Amino acid sequence: MRCEIDARGLACPQPVVLTKNRMKECNEIEIIVDNETALENIKRLASGSGWSFENTVSGNNFKITIKGSALQTSGAVQDIRTSCSGEGTVVVFSSDKMGRGDDELGAILMKAFVHTLATNDTAPATVIFYNSGVLLTADGSGVTDDIQILHEKGVQLLICGTCVNYFKIGDKIKTGTISNMYDILNTMNTSARLINP
Amino acid sequence: MSSGQNFYVVLLPSVSHVMKAEKILIAEHIACKIIPVPKSISSDCGVCIRLEENMVEKTGKILQNSFENIDIRLL
């Protein structure tokens, strides 16, 4: 059976979840999506299920047709979700402490948080540092090795230049991009999810 | 994680103990790192101190002056 899905305007992971569900009853599905993340997720779903795919771009939209010989009656939607959970996520470090209350405890918690972020399977797209958050990026913070790991994973690291000057730590920062308010605001504006530990 | 080196963790009874131990180790110039207690050790929310293998013996000696129960394990 041939089916069509119009997934324009739907947030990740909706397009891929809808597709996965229709794969139980249709062996040829044409899906229209409006972003590349959705397109890539559907391609991954198709090839992971042994289905073929063909896609075309028309204007701002992507049309992808997937075909399979066997209907997909099993497999968890959960598996698909994980493939898009990190994309568009921005972590904002507005302080070198995690939470408010006791600063000494907050400093310990932040070290544990940054380590967990760096070693987690899902990496954020961007990490922003401002105010005392920039201190995390400086030598001696105890987490510069974790920040290096994030950098190696391809995470964009934006460090507030005004704050670096204020704290006079320019010579202690080895990783990341010294950034400005325009880039910081634009990154926040276009993010799918902001995390502020 | 890095170059196949073995890491150890120092487990202490509370976060306050960890904070105190970190200060002591930093003052003694021992390279250490605060990390969450690995899930394989405990499912509780906690932090511990990670050490490189060559620091384990020295750390044990230093910390035993200040703490009664120190549990150092291979990560």
Side-chain angles (χ1 to χ4, degrees):
Chain A
M1 189 167 81
R2 191 173 190 281
C3 307
E4 288 180 7
I5 300 173
D6 183 352
R8 286 174 292 183
L10 299 179
C12 182
Q14 277 309 106
V16 75
V17 170
L18 281 177
T19 307
K20 173 90 180 163
N21 287 337
R22 297 308 288 275
M23 286 166 81
K24 292 173 188 166
E25 53 195 53
C26 314
N27 55 11
E28 181 175 345
I29 311 172
E30 184 187 276
I31 309 115
I32 303 176
V33 294
D34 58 6
N35 65 84
E36 209 155 356
T37 302
L39 178 71
E40 290 306 319
N41 280 333
I42 291 167
K43 280 186 193 173
R44 265 200 295 270
L45 170 65
S47 48
S49 312
W51 287 38
S52 64
F53 61 83
E54 269 180 42
N55 63 288
T56 50
V57 183
S58 57
N60 293 329
N61 299 320
F62 302 87
K63 191 188 282 180
I64 177 165
T65 305
I66 63 172
K67 290 178 192 171
S69 50
L71 296 177
Q72 298 294 301
T73 49
S74 61
V77 171
Q78 189 84 26
D79 300 338
I80 314 161
R81 261 191 200 130
T82 54
S83 70
C84 70
S85 56
E87 290 163 23
T89 297
V90 174
V91 179
V92 177
F93 290 102
S94 53
S95 164
D96 60 343
K97 317 283 190 304
M98 186 174 184
R100 293 195 185 115
D102 186 285
D103 279 353
E104 215 173 344
L105 175 62
I108 293 277
L109 295 179
M110 188 56 97
K111 286 178 186 177
F113 181 89
V114 179
H115 181 74
T116 309
L117 183 69
T119 53
N120 201 22
D121 289 341
T122 310
T126 305
V127 178
I128 296 173
F129 302 88
Y130 56 77
N131 209 320
S132 62
V134 300
L135 298 173
L136 296 168
T137 66
D139 281 347
S141 71
V143 294
T144 49
D145 54 341
D146 295 317
I147 288 168
Q148 180 63 29
I149 291 171
L150 287 169
H151 171 69
E152 285 164 12
K153 284 183 170 180
V155 176
Q156 184 183 31
L157 304 167
L158 300 181
I159 306 168
C160 164
T162 305
C163 312
V164 169
N165 291 339
Y166 179 83
F167 289 108
K168 301 185 175 65
I169 52 168
D171 57 335
K172 292 183 179 167
I173 296 174
K174 303 288 187 291
T175 313
T177 307
I178 302 296
S179 192
N180 54 69
M181 202 59 89
Y182 303 103
D183 289 345
I184 289 173
L185 177 62
N186 284 334
T187 305
M188 288 175 158
N189 246 342
T190 53
S191 72
R193 180 194 297 125
L194 279 182
I195 297 174
N196 185 208
Chain B
M1 197 158 59
S2 67
S3 65
Q5 188 181 21
N6 283 335
F7 285 109
Y8 285 76
V9 287
V10 184
L11 302 168
L12 292 156
S14 75
V15 69
S16 305
H17 289 80
V18 171
M19 285 152 72
K20 184 177 168 189
E22 187 201 25
K23 275 186 197 155
I24 293 170
L25 294 178
I26 289 173
E28 295 282 347
H29 303 290
I30 304 264
C32 63
K33 183 170 175 62
I34 299 284
I35 65 165
V37 174
K39 280 185 185 170
S40 55
I41 294 177
S42 169
S43 58
D44 291 350
C45 173
V47 289
C48 60
I49 297 172
R50 194 187 70 181
L51 299 169
E52 290 174 11
E53 192 166 16
N54 56 356
M55 293 292 170
V56 170
E57 203 182 323
K58 196 174 172 191
T59 299
K61 282 181 186 160
I62 291 169
L63 293 184
Q64 71 184 7
N65 298 325
S66 308
F67 300 96
E68 281 179 16
N69 299 314
I70 313 160
D71 185 358
I72 300 183
R73 296 191 201 176
L74 179 64
L75 188 60

